[in-house]
Amino acid sequence: MLEDSDKAMHVGQLNFPSWDAFQSAFSDIFDRGFYSNHGPLTAELDRALAAYLNVKHAICVTNGTIALMLVLRSLDLKGNVITPSFTFPATVQSIVWAGLTPVFCDVDPETHVLDARRVEPLVTDSTAAILGVHLWGRPCDPHGLTDLAQRRGLKLVFDAAHATGCRFKGVPIGGLGHAEIFSFHATKILNAAEGGCITTNDDLLAAKLRAARSFHDMGFVTSGLLRMNAKMSEAQAAMALIGLRNIDALIVDNRERYLHYRRLLADVPGLRVIDYGDDGQSNYQYVVAQIDESVFGTSRDRLMNELWNRNIYVRRYFWPATHLCPPFDDTPWSLPVTEQLCETLIQFPSGQGITESDIDKVCRMVRDIRERAI
Ligand code: T4K
């Protein structure tokens, strides 16, 4: 008999800052009467993130999408940008917003990210940049893509929206390529309600980005640089600063949740929780499994619908594939791995609001649904 769950469980169960810390930060903002336009908390967050991410410059902005648009625009690119279709649509849409053309590259079936071997055959005279995505926080072939970008004279940017707190060979993600971008959306490990940042070790690019994110920084004002209002507010910065103080503890808790899912689902035929290794390099914010319908006994979509009926709001990230949606679907892209992943992956609820007994319940339901289906 299937059990009902009365607690709605979402994939991005929010990481909350402590209410007391939040109140006190807000009370300080009210006392200062300074809410925006690069207040002290935004400046402090820029410095704190640069230190945490081990990079020279962190430039906080309104959200991750704006961070992508700004960095692509500020690199003065023309032509094509090689990028995955298997990502949140913001990655690709930002390329178009920056006046560039996306060229889709398929991803590795195990890691779900781009690698130099797949990207290199797509490089042409029109290629300006590679925009890799550290999907699920997995480093996107940093050595291979850096080498390729250097050899072919391309800019290399990483979308690290999922990767705050993740590491590559022990070093925090943040200083790779020409620039990386992060998202502090409510569902991310570092929750600023909305928010994002660009990180770079390039002083000139950082100066341009600081000028481009607002109409208040007078640097580059005469250079014709295109600018916008992409400022982070003091309220967002306050929330991010509190989250940043606790992020390492959140990663430890996330890892426990991830390992608990893995233990409970290890022997379910046809369901494989994707592996981040046990080396502590991931932020474990995403618990993603692949369903092999022929072994599992029912399809990923059927499993998703059955779980939704029980208040478990798993997601089929990412569906539909970006290259199959307008305005990108008028080209016959050949992306077999991406299309297979879009049809077989399921993301389970995770994050601070999910307890061990919630995970027990989700996994019990997955087993029950499978047993009823076979
Ligand atoms: N690059 C990549 C690789 C990204 O994944 C993203 C964003 C970006 C760039 C762009 O960064 P931002 O511009 O967003 O900063 C969610 C997020 O909205 C999106 O930020 C994120 N990626 C993406 C992976 O997930 P949706 O539309 O699939 O889910 P959403 O926002 O409805 O939230 C998921 C679940 O979380 C909901 O079912 C309910 C729950 N939830 C959500 C919110 C906002 C809550 O319980 N409370 C909340 O306040 O995009």
Side-chain angles (χ1 to χ4, degrees):
M1 190 58 190
L2 287 167
E3 57 187 306
D4 286 324
S5 165
D6 29 28
K7 171 179 169 183
M9 288 189 231
H10 296 283
V11 289
Q13 209 72 39
L14 307 189
N15 292 326
F16 291 107
S18 117
W19 181 241
D20 288 346
F22 197 52
Q23 262 189 322
S24 143
F26 255 65
S27 150
D28 289 347
I29 294 173
F30 274 56
D31 288 348
R32 273 194 296 276
F34 205 99
Y35 296 166
S36 184
N37 295 2
H38 315 298
L41 295 181
T42 322
E44 187 184 337
L45 183 63
D46 278 358
R47 287 192 297 272
L49 280 167
Y52 181 70
L53 300 172
N54 194 31
V55 63
K56 242 169 137 179
H57 306 280
I59 297 119
C60 286
V61 293
T62 325
N63 59 51
T65 308
I66 300 265
L68 279 164
M69 288 160 57
L70 269 181
V71 75
L72 291 171
R73 190 79 206 205
S74 301
L75 282 167
D76 294 326
L77 306 172
K78 278 194 180 56
N80 299 340
V81 177
I82 299 175
T83 200
S85 163
F86 192 61
T87 180
F88 192 65
T91 313
V92 182
Q93 297 275 347
S94 66
I95 295 173
V96 182
W97 274 105
L100 300 158
T101 307
V103 170
F104 293 116
C105 180
D106 216 352
V107 292
D108 180 273
E110 287 303 311
T111 62
H112 308 172
V113 297
L114 297 186
D115 59 58
R117 196 173 56 82
R118 285 180 173 76
V119 172
E120 183 142 26
L122 301 178
V123 176
T124 66
D125 291 346
S126 306
T127 309
I130 303 164
L131 174 53
V133 180
H134 302 308
L135 202 76
W136 323 133
R138 289 180 104 136
C140 177
D141 190 16
H143 283 162
L145 290 178
T146 302
D147 171 66
L148 172 61
Q150 279 169 357
R151 278 192 290 110
R152 304 297 292 264
L154 306 173
K155 296 290 185 199
L156 176 60
V157 177
F158 288 106
D159 177 339
H162 293 190
T164 310
C166 298
R167 292 171 172 264
F168 173 63
K169 297 196 180 296
V171 178
I173 283 181
L176 299 169
H178 292 93
E180 307 206 58
I181 75 91
F182 292 83
S183 165
F184 310 137
H185 180 261
T187 55
K188 297 287 189 286
I189 187 155
L190 185 59
N191 167 15
E194 287 280 358
C197 98
I198 306 151
T199 53
T200 183
N201 284 311
D202 180 332
D203 295 341
L204 180 61
L205 179 61
K208 275 176 150 182
L209 288 164
R210 287 203 173 94
R213 75 173 157 179
S214 83
F215 298 103
H216 303 276
D217 186 325
M218 298 310 277
F220 287 91
V221 83
T222 55
S223 72
L225 181 83
L226 204 60
R227 304 161 85 196
M228 66 154 85
N229 179 359
K231 298 185 302 285
M232 181 183 262
S233 76
E234 287 290 277
Q236 288 173 291
M239 198 153 161
L241 280 165
I242 298 164
L244 198 58
R245 272 177 235 135
N246 298 320
I247 192 167
D248 290 334
L250 282 177
I251 292 174
V252 170
D253 290 349
N254 268 357
R255 183 165 178 269
E256 284 307 308
R257 280 184 279 269
Y258 165 80
L259 292 174
H260 196 53
Y261 269 112
R262 278 241 320 241
R263 271 192 300 272
L264 294 187
L265 295 173
D267 62 345
V268 176
L271 184 154
R272 184 174 64 93
V273 176
I274 67 157
D275 187 11
Y276 298 125
D278 294 332
D279 54 10
Q281 306 237 322
S282 177
N283 61 21
Y284 301 96
Q285 179 74 356
Y286 302 94
V287 180
V288 183
Q290 188 158 27
I291 305 294
D292 178 347
E293 181 178 347
S294 65
V295 182
F296 186 71
T298 190
S299 68
R300 183 276 313 266
D301 285 359
R302 190 80 190 275
L303 173 63
M304 181 187 80
N305 291 335
E306 296 268 355
L307 287 168
W308 274 57
N309 288 339
R310 289 157 183 81
N311 262 352
I312 313 293
Y313 297 104
V314 291
R315 284 289 183 98
R316 45 188 180 181
Y317 283 142
F318 294 95
W319 187 96
T322 313
H323 68 281
L324 299 178
C325 299
F328 310 110
D329 58 344
D330 54 359
T331 302
W333 304 101
S334 171
L335 303 167
V337 177
T338 296
E339 286 175 20
Q340 203 222 8
L341 293 174
C342 290
E343 296 305 321
T344 55
L345 291 189
I346 191 160
Q347 190 179 336
F348 288 114
S350 191
Q352 206 181 20
I354 296 292
T355 64
E356 194 173 301
S357 75
D358 291 334
I359 297 172
D360 293 345
K361 196 179 281 179
V362 174
C363 296
R364 209 160 46 235
M365 287 183 180
V366 169
R367 282 172 183 280
D368 286 348
I369 291 165
R370 175 177 185 270
E371 274 155 28
R372 286 208 326 175
I374 53 175

